Amino acid sequence: MEHLVTSNLRLGIIAGGQLAKMLIQDASKWDIATYVLDGDEHCPARSIATGFQQGSRLDPEAVYRFGKAVDFLTFEIESIHAEALKRLRDEGLPIAPDPSVLELIQDKGHQKEFLRRQGIPSPSFRLFGGRDEVLRALASGGLRLPFVQKLRKGGYDGRGVVVVDHEGDLANLLDGPCLVEDRVEIHKEIAVTAARNRHGEIRCYPVVEMVFDPRANLVDHLVCPADLTEGQTRAAQEMAASAAEALRIEGLLAVEFFVDRRGQVLANEMAPRPHNSGHHTIESVVTSQFEQHLRAIFGLPLGSTHLKLPAVMINLLGAEGYEGPVRYQGLTESLALEGVKIHLYGKKTTRPFRKMGHVTVIAPTVEEALERARRVKELIRVVS
Ligand code: ADP
């Protein structure tokens, strides 16, 4: 820790979205200098970073050049040129999490194989080379409806995922290397973030429930703690911890799960970074996910993940029908409500369903937090 502060250590963060911005907010408390690489010169993190380099995270030269100008590297997104990171690592740059973890997670097929190898329950799946192969398997009876097709690479926020319930849905099949898995009858979607440092210390955050906006395929709101049985809570936390340990990750690992109609907890996917489902930790947990990520990547003692108060988080999404310079309505009225914490990411323009900010509501009970969050949702509008 002393070394971090007194050596003027330069922490590089690949991509400058809201996750990087919130990571920098915590890094600045420890006086760590932060440098951001992003293709967008107006990215949210730029306004508070010590330095900024414009460039694509998928361009090996840009990633390499950026890495050469910092002392330590981390990231806030999965889609990064992993070979460039490996080259930097092999030349001695400390990078956490390790590029090999990132590479595994970039491919949903490899992620699923990893979960299977670890004996972590998840929907059963098969890998395919492309759409035609899926259709042939169906025709030959080797595959049955319903199922879910997922592209192995490049999907996010529901893009790259097709739920096939009926024959008619087959027209939506995507082409490219993919996996096909059992369609789960989802009762709830939940997430657990685990943190692990190089000394093997692991801590898990309380389980959150994610409630999706079906039109945008984005989290509409999340609730912490999730309403689960003790057994389900324990199962989700144990699976997240065992995945973090098996990967020997240094940093955060957010794991999303389904709870099916029979109450079974099944792992869905992992992210090796701070996560949208952990924003509430800034106000409601002793150690925020962002501070924890810093502790974990630098090999510092992990902080308490004790929940101080129940929380509900809502994403502030661009309203439908508006595109252009952003205006917010209803912020003042919302601030008048007890326990309401507003975060605006500083994106200059809005478009339908763009993540522009979030609000965390903390309250003595989940019910009160939900009630106030509902009120905030009615009050705040993101328009142009
Ligand atoms: P992404 O990488 O886009 O977040 P996910 O794997 O989380 O992809 O899938 C997006 C959404 O699709 C999930 O939140 C869930 O609602 C639905 N989904 C994904 N996998 C399944 C499945 N096996 N069964 C039923 N629904 C699924």
Side-chain angles (χ1 to χ4, degrees):
M1 171 84 189
E2 295 78 356
H3 174 73
L4 298 179
V5 178
T6 52
S7 68
N8 290 324
L9 176 128
R10 294 164 300 178
L11 172 64
I13 304 170
I14 296 190
Q18 58 268 18
L19 295 168
K21 185 176 184 186
M22 290 183 269
L23 188 63
I24 292 170
Q25 284 165 347
D26 271 356
S28 81
K29 291 181 189 160
W30 291 350
D31 202 29
I32 294 171
T34 46
Y35 293 78
V36 165
L37 173 74
D38 200 292
D40 177 4
E41 59 177 331
H42 301 297
C43 66
R46 182 178 185 175
S47 64
I48 60 165
T50 316
F52 173 74
Q53 185 178 310
Q54 191 170 9
S56 167
R57 56 183 196 269
L58 298 172
D59 170 4
E61 267 315 303
V63 170
Y64 183 77
R65 221 176 319 118
F66 179 67
K68 283 296 180 192
V70 297
D71 304 305
F72 197 110
L73 202 53
T74 190
F75 43 83
E76 60 125 48
I77 196 161
E78 284 91 286
S79 61
I80 300 172
H81 200 285
E83 285 302 325
L85 291 181
K86 284 199 213 156
R87 182 172 163 211
L88 288 163
R89 178 200 59 195
D90 295 345
E91 291 176 11
L93 180 69
I95 304 180
D98 192 86
S100 61
V101 173
L102 184 74
E103 214 172 24
L104 181 139
I105 286 178
Q106 281 175 342
D107 183 329
K108 284 187 178 179
H110 289 156
Q111 263 197 66
K112 302 280 301 183
E113 286 172 336
F114 165 81
L115 293 170
R116 185 151 67 188
R117 269 199 312 278
Q118 296 309 316
I120 295 176
S122 80
S124 60
F125 72 99
R126 274 173 62 190
L127 301 181
F128 289 93
R131 181 175 44 202
D132 290 348
E133 232 181 81
V134 176
L135 290 172
R136 273 200 301 276
L138 260 176
S140 70
L143 185 66
R144 293 227 191 95
L145 302 181
F147 63 75
V148 179
Q149 182 207 25
K150 300 183 178 182
L151 289 182
R152 290 179 63 165
K153 289 196 170 176
Y156 66 99
D157 287 346
R159 273 164 265 194
V161 175
V162 180
V163 179
V164 181
D165 279 328
H166 316 285
E167 297 253 325
D169 299 328
L170 290 171
N172 303 331
L173 280 182
L174 302 164
D175 204 12
C178 59
L179 64 94
V180 166
E181 68 181 16
D182 288 350
R183 181 158 77 53
V184 177
E185 287 198 57
I186 299 174
H187 174 50
K188 282 180 183 193
E189 298 197 40
I190 61 171
V192 176
T193 295
R196 181 183 178 280
N197 66 16
R198 73 174 78 108
H199 312 295
E201 193 187 351
I202 294 185
R203 297 225 187 183
C204 283
Y205 278 90
V207 186
V208 299
E209 177 174 354
M210 303 175 291
V211 182
F212 282 81
D213 178 332
R215 292 163 309 157
N217 232 322
L218 288 172
V219 171
D220 178 80
H221 66 273
L222 66 80
V223 183
C224 185
D227 183 14
L228 300 171
T229 65
E230 252 179 59
Q232 289 167 331
T233 300
R234 207 175 326 110
Q237 289 181 325
E238 282 175 7
M239 285 189 239
S242 77
E245 180 55 30
L247 291 169
R248 304 186 68 76
I249 195 168
E250 294 175 22
L252 297 184
L253 184 72
V255 186
E256 296 180 30
F257 301 88
F258 303 127
V259 180
D260 72 11
R261 299 257 165 231
R262 291 182 304 143
Q264 226 194 326
V265 181
L266 301 166
N268 176 31
E269 62 173 353
M270 309 185 286
R273 54 169 171 81
H275 197 253
N276 188 251
S277 68
H279 289 348
H280 65 289
T281 60
I282 296 173
E283 288 90 4
S284 72
V285 174
V286 173
T287 311
S288 81
Q289 64 163 344
F290 301 100
E291 179 181 334
Q292 196 78 303
H293 187 69
L294 296 171
R295 286 171 179 254
I297 63 175
F298 291 132
L300 299 169
L302 298 181
S304 162
T305 52
H306 173 73
L307 186 71
K308 294 187 286 187
L309 276 178
V312 171
M313 193 267 325
I314 56 174
N315 280 323
L316 296 180
L317 304 180
E320 277 181 287
Y322 294 91
E323 192 147 358
V326 64
R327 279 189 310 118
Y328 298 94
Q329 298 173 338
L331 299 181
T332 309
E333 296 86 336
S334 301
L335 284 178
L337 301 171
E338 188 87 2
V340 168
K341 301 289 190 174
I342 295 178
H343 297 253
L344 302 180
Y345 301 149
K347 298 178 185 175
K348 301 294 172 227
T349 55
T350 183
R351 57 174 181 267
F353 302 116
R354 188 173 193 200
K355 281 184 199 163
M356 302 298 287
H358 74 264
V359 176
T360 297
V361 182
I362 47 173
T365 63
V366 166
E367 291 68 31
E368 284 168 82
L370 272 171
E371 181 51 40
R372 253 171 256 160
R374 233 171 264 133
R375 184 84 192 95
V376 170
K377 221 168 147 59
E378 286 164 6
L379 285 169
I380 300 186
R381 275 173 55 78
V382 183
V383 295
S384 62

